[in-house]
């Protein structure tokens, strides 16, 4: 539910003048009645046809209690339904109880379904696959513990295996005892240590064996500072027999009471929108919490960054998922990024890193925007971005149409809990000979966590955010705006109903509306004395183009038109449109989490009109339109879009 304090203050601020009736009532009955009358006037004002045609309109979705979750992730599926994923929902009690939630929502019917969730997918990565499944990889192995909350000494144990003939699996609870310090620690998770590598020199026939290693988090058996260690030590593994006692051992540095960050998992799943269930696929090679997944031109998926199984940022070990084999393989060369980096597929098959990211990693490493060639591992910096120290929790968008290869970075804040935030928007054209960021018009306010959605009429809706870290000090921004890339201008939109900051997002729906979800404020008051409460309300924004009045919006008829096609094909649809069709757009469905939605893109299609419809030509470049399901939409000469038709591109 929306917070009444936010509503009153927001609506009172927006109310610049009142009617004579409101003034009179206020004089007779004091501040309480004035607030009530202002509220009534505001409701009247925002429901006027002229206001909605200029600003659009927000409304809350009616979500039954049993389906209300702490939505962290949301993805639009080709069935038209939206997968809402909480996992444990940033709630340690849910994590301990293994209460992991996903809900499937049908916006057209406003129906809901609980979906069994196999692991804690809180802070996973996700992306659309060519067959329409949603790949979800990574999540939470363990919650963070601040220094004062750590009761047992613990840290990283590197397990070694010198046996070239067999791998070694050690179950959770395996005990390691230091040879010098005599202290015993136990593993919190199972660990597989590969067999050692054996190689033979062809000339000398000499065989060399290279030890293999794996990492696992360990804790002392008892509470208390007397169990922590300060020096590197070798550890014997209890329970081993014979040669294994010599071949398999642990090495650990300091095992202490330092803050323990969140830890990731390797597990990966495909969500099947037709069967409406998660399907287990091979795990990643690296555990990842806060990873980014980017679809490549051939439909494979790049997985980058995240916190690993001991809570450290994965040190540049990136990998590729093949949806045909359901397996992962490392890229041959490493490249480091902070967590949730905004990595976009460009129209030449390379990866553009805008500099946007969300949360973990050193302030002086992996923060510079640039173009990454996966084949050579070359990285070309793109200079000129303003407020380069405020890119964390910024939003990045491939501006429509995608062929132009113009990218916008909106808002953002300093690294970690830094109080800095910015209202800057920065734009770069990758088709320039020497791409260089330039400032666009400022946002409505300084904002971390703004959510931006590409609309069918080639504009971009941006909404919400907060001026400080996780809405601290009552800094939620209750504003929205629509940016027009063609004119490089912005105009206000109707104010959102509730504040949204960390763990919030937004998606375009097939009917042309926008949904917003989530928000995880750190505190619930301006003085930062009360804990915040997760915002479970889902809202729908109806853009101004759906309030244009008569004639009706264009209609893509159901009878006719393909459901599948290939790049370069011509596709024909019957169209009922009282006004001339002006544009045809192919829009990839969004997949949003943590200020990151690299999936969304709107592709302009060449088309010809016929007596009863249109024939559009699909792009030939799979790096512009990766294989998968898309929403095809026609837009009339007033900028009013049709409801979308789903088209699968092979």
């Amino acid at each position: 539910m929306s917070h009444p304090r936010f509503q009153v203050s927001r609506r009172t601020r927006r109310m610049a003048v009142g009617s004579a009736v409101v003034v009179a009532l206020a004089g007779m009955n004091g501040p309480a009645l004035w607030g009530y009358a202002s509220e009534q006037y505001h409701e009247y004002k925002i429901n006027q046809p002229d206001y909605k045609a200029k600003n659009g309109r927000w409304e809350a979705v009616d979500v039954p209690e049993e389906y209300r979750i702490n939505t962290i992730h949301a993805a639009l599926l080709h069935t038209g339904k939206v997968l809402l994923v909480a996992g444990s929902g940033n709630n340690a009690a849910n994590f301990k109880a293994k209460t992991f939630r996903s809900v499937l929502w049908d916006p057209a019917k406003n129906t809901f379904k609980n979906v069994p969730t196999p692991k804690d997918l809180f802070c996973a990565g996700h992306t659309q696959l060519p067959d329409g499944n949603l790949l979800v990889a990574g999540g939470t192995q363990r919650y963070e513990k601040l220094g004062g909350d750590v009761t047992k000494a613990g840290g990283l144990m590197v397990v070694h295996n010198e046996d070239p003939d067999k791998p070694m699996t050690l179950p959770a609870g395996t005990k390691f005892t230091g040879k010098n310090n005599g202290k015993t620690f136990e593993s919190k998770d199972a660990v597989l240590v590969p067999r050692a590598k054996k190689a033979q020199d062809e000339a000398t026939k000499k065989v060399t064996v290279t030890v293999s290693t794996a990492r696992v988090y360990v804790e002392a058996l008892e509470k208390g500072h007397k169990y922590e260690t300060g020096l590197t030590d070798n550890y014997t593994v209890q329970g081993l027999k014979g040669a294994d006692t010599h071949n398999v051992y642990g090495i650990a540095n300091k095992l202490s009471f330092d803050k323990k960050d969140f830890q990731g998992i390797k597990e990966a799943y495909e969500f099947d929108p037709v069967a409406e269930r998660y399907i287990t696929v091979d795990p990643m090679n690296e555990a990842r919490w806060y990873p980014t997944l980017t679809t490549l031109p051939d439909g494979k998926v790049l997985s980058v960054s995240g916190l690993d199984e001991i809570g450290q940022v994965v040190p540049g070990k990136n990998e590729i998922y093949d949806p045909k084999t359901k397996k992962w393989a490392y890229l041959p060369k490493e490249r480091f990024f902070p967590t949730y980096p905004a990595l976009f597929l460009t129209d030449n098959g390379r990866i553009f890193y805008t500099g946007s990211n969300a949360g973990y990693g050193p302030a002086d490493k992996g923060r510079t925007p640039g173009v990454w060639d996966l084949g050579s591992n070359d990285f070309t910096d793109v200079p000129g971005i303003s407020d380069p120290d405020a890119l964390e929790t910024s939003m990045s968008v491939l501006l429509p149409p995608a062929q132009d290869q113009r990218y916008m970075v909106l808002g953002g804040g300093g690294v970690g809990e830094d109080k800095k935030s910015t209202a800057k928007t920065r734009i770069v054209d990758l088709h320039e000979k020497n791409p260089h960021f330039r400032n666009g018009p400022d946002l409505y306010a300084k904002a971390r966590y703004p959510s931006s959605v590409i609309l069918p009429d080639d504009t971009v809706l941006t909404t919400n955010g907060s001026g400080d870290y996780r809405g601290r000090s009552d800094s939620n921004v209750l504003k929205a705006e629509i940016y027009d890339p063609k004119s490089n201008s912005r105009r206000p939109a109707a104010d959102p109903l509730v504040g949204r900051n960390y763990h919030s997002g937004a998606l375009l729906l097939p009917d042309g509306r926008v949904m917003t979800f989530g928000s995880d404020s750190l505190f619930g008051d301006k003085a930062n004395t009360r804990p915040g409460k997760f915002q479970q309300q889902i809202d729908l924004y109806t853009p101004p183009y759906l309030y244009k009045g008569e004639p009706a919006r264009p209609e893509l008829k159901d009878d006719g038109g393909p459901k599948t096609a290939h790049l370069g094909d011509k596709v024909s649809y019957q169209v009922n449109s009282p006004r001339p069709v002006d544009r045809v757009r192919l829009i990839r469905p969004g997949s949003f989490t943590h200020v990151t939605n690299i999936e969304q893109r709107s592709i302009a299609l060449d088309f010809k009109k016929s007596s009863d419809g249109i024939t559009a030509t699909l792009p030939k470049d799979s790096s512009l339109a990766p294989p998968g399901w898309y929403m095809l939409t026609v837009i009339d000469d007033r900028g009013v879009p049709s409801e979308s038709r789903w088209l699968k591109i092979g």
Side-chain angles (χ1 to χ4, degrees), residues 415-464:
V415 174
E417 298 186 23
D418 192 308
K419 292 184 70 65
K420 179 173 183 176
S421 60
T422 183
K424 295 292 187 186
T425 70
R426 309 80 149 184
I427 302 169
V428 63
D429 183 346
L430 291 189
H431 282 168
E432 290 182 347
K433 185 176 181 180
N434 296 301
H436 186 97
F437 277 98
R438 296 174 177 84
N439 284 343
D442 279 358
L443 265 178
Y444 37 67
K446 293 181 178 181
R448 304 174 71 122
Y449 323 102
S451 293
S452 298
V453 174
I454 298 168
L455 301 178
D457 65 350
D458 291 345
T459 61
V460 178
L461 170 73
T462 300
T463 180
N464 286 115

Side-chain angles (χ1 to χ4, degrees), residues 282-300:
D282 272 14
M284 296 180 287
N285 294 298
E286 296 289 323
R288 301 182 189 270
W289 184 89
Y290 267 43
T292 292
L293 272 57
T294 300
T295 300
L296 301 177
D298 57 3
K300 295 179 181 178

Side-chain angles (χ1 to χ4, degrees), residues 156-161 191-194 212-216 309:
L156 168 65
M157 181 71 67
V158 180
V159 187
H160 295 62
N161 184 6
V191 60
L192 170 63
V193 195
S212 68
T213 62
R215 308 187 307 172
V216 67
E309 68 271 30

Side-chain angles (χ1 to χ4, degrees), residues 618-637:
L618 300 179
K620 296 179 180 180
D621 185 359
S622 62
S623 60
L624 177 64
W629 285 87
Y630 287 79
M631 294 181 284
L632 189 139
T633 305
V634 298
I635 301 95
D636 70 19
D637 61 352

Side-chain angles (χ1 to χ4, degrees), residues 292-326:
T292 292
L293 272 57
T294 300
T295 300
L296 301 177
D298 57 3
K300 295 179 181 178
V301 176
L302 170 69
S303 180
V304 169
S305 193
L307 298 188
D308 62 17
E309 68 271 30
I310 60 163
Q312 297 180 356
V313 181
V314 176
K317 295 181 179 180
N318 307 311
E319 50 190 308
I320 302 286
Y321 177 73
D322 187 337
K324 292 182 180 179
T325 64
K326 314 296 186 188

Side-chain angles (χ1 to χ4, degrees), residues 179-235:
K179 290 185 177 181
N180 295 316
N181 61 42
K183 297 176 181 179
T184 299
F185 297 81
E186 66 176 359
S187 62
K188 306 309 292 181
D189 307 291
V191 60
L192 170 63
V193 195
R195 59 172 59 90
K197 296 179 181 178
K198 182 165 59 176
Q200 185 178 45
D201 187 284
E202 293 296 330
T204 64
K205 304 300 182 183
K206 182 180 179 181
V207 176
T208 59
V209 175
T210 304
V211 65
S212 68
T213 62
R215 308 187 307 172
V216 67
Y217 181 79
V218 298
E219 279 186 350
L221 301 180
E222 303 290 340
K223 297 179 181 179
H225 283 270
K226 66 181 180 179
Y227 295 103
E228 67 182 331
T229 70
L231 300 173
T232 301
D233 201 354
N234 279 49
Y235 289 77

